[in-house]
Amino acid sequence: MERHWEFFLAPYKQAVEELKVKLKGMRAQFEMQGVHSPIEFVTGRVKPIASILDKAQKKNIPLDQLEEQMQDIAGLRMMCQFVDDIQTVVELLRKRNDFTIVEERDYITQKKESGYRSYHVVIRYPVQMIYGEKNILVEIQIRTLAMNFWATIEHSLNYKYSGKFPEDIRQRLQRAAEAAYLLDEEMSKIRFEIQEAQAAFSRKQDVKDNE
Ligand code: 0O2
């Protein structure tokens, strides 16, 4: 990797690693209390250089303005079981004092043209570097497992077709997005039963582990 990029991306890498620990820690605290965790799992990545350059070109972002204008060089994803959990997670993020929220984008009530649904929270996160504090932007995407399934598949197809989907695929993806949303709605309706079953299962596991 070119040295310039290595220096530029260093605080982003640091932030992703730190935030993965912190956000996974939130899940661990729910588990410890033996209550339903609104967070199912957390992932994080630093955007590959090729994708940064691609996006900068598409959006006309000068390379010397990446820090302020590209909000997702560092990205975290928090997956939830139920749609209602998303708001719970957002509220937990709003209460934290290790970063500030600079923007929220609700693509759940206002889905994207493609059918994409997720809740995006952009934060300003302070990273302690040896030369001092660096404040960087990080995008946290919060979505259900069903929304994540759809987005992952659509993302790979997008790569294959470079964003220009044949009409039939575009329509199928939109129908699939609606089906994923319907799945979320159905699961929400039997949420109580699911959670009871999960709690019973985890109690059984605890007993087994202590045997
Ligand atoms: P990658 O590979 O995930 O890093 P825009 O690019 O105009 O849509 P903007 O201003 O960059 O939007 O911010 P937005 O829409 O809040 O966040 C962009 C990111 O959200 C994308 O990053 C994706 O991760 C995700 N996303 C947004 N729309 C879609 C979509 O239609 N399908 C899928 N699968 N993901 C989407 P990148 O940079 O596109 O890609």
Side-chain angles (χ1 to χ4, degrees):
M1 198 197 311
E2 214 186 296
R3 243 176 127 55
H4 161 76
W5 278 110
E6 204 177 327
F7 276 114
F8 177 75
L9 292 177
Y12 293 93
K13 280 192 184 150
Q14 179 76 25
V16 168
E17 290 313 312
E18 288 180 13
L19 283 163
K20 273 203 286 192
V21 171
K22 291 180 176 191
L23 303 181
K24 284 180 185 183
M26 288 164 73
R27 178 188 154 88
Q29 288 179 51
F30 282 104
E31 271 191 333
M32 206 166 57
Q33 288 177 3
V35 294
H36 164 76
S37 168
I39 305 157
E40 185 63 11
F41 67 95
V42 176
T43 62
R45 64 98 184 97
V46 174
K47 211 177 185 61
I49 300 171
S51 308
I52 296 178
L53 292 172
D54 256 14
K55 189 164 180 171
Q57 199 182 18
K58 258 188 233 145
K59 300 198 140 213
N60 274 323
I61 302 174
L63 291 186
D64 60 359
Q65 281 173 39
L66 285 177
E67 272 179 28
E68 276 314 303
Q69 293 191 31
M70 198 171 290
Q71 298 176 325
D72 65 340
I73 294 175
L76 276 296
R77 265 185 205 145
M78 304 177 79
M79 265 55 73
C80 310
Q81 288 187 346
F82 304 101
V83 181
D84 287 347
D85 291 336
I86 296 176
Q87 217 39 48
T88 310
V89 172
V90 174
E91 271 150 33
L92 287 170
L93 295 179
R94 287 189 191 131
K95 278 193 211 144
R96 294 188 70 107
N97 55 19
D98 50 350
F99 52 72
T100 50
I101 294 181
V102 295
E103 206 176 325
E104 294 185 19
R105 286 196 285 273
D106 180 359
Y107 298 128
I108 294 175
T109 51
Q110 283 164 311
K111 62 166 181 177
K112 283 202 160 190
E113 179 75 19
S114 58
Y116 176 78
R117 282 187 171 96
S118 265
Y119 197 96
H120 293 189
V121 175
V122 180
I123 61 167
R124 194 170 285 285
Y125 183 76
V127 184
Q128 308 304 316
M129 304 299 284
I130 48 174
Y131 51 80
E133 185 172 280
K134 180 141 182 82
N135 281 283
I136 60 159
L137 294 175
V138 178
E139 184 177 82
I140 306 177
Q141 301 179 345
I142 307 140
R143 45 170 81 150
T144 62
L145 298 170
M147 291 172 194
N148 188 50
F149 175 49
W150 182 93
T152 308
I153 301 288
E154 198 258 5
H155 194 271
S156 11
L157 281 175
N158 215 318
Y159 187 74
K160 175 174 174 189
Y161 292 106
S162 315
K164 294 182 194 81
F165 291 123
E167 184 54 23
D168 64 322
I169 300 213
R170 194 185 63 81
Q171 282 183 15
R172 269 185 211 284
L173 279 170
Q174 285 197 343
R175 284 206 294 273
E178 289 322 300
Y181 203 67
L182 223 67
L183 176 62
D184 273 337
E185 279 187 338
E186 290 302 320
M187 290 302 186
S188 292
K189 284 180 196 149
I190 51 167
R191 175 184 180 139
F192 185 67
E193 315 286 321
I194 298 170
Q195 278 174 217
E196 257 189 350
Q198 286 171 340
F201 182 74
S202 104
R203 276 197 301 273
K204 204 170 147 193
Q205 282 299 108
D206 281 349
V207 172
K208 257 191 176 169
D209 291 346
N210 291 326
E211 272 170 5

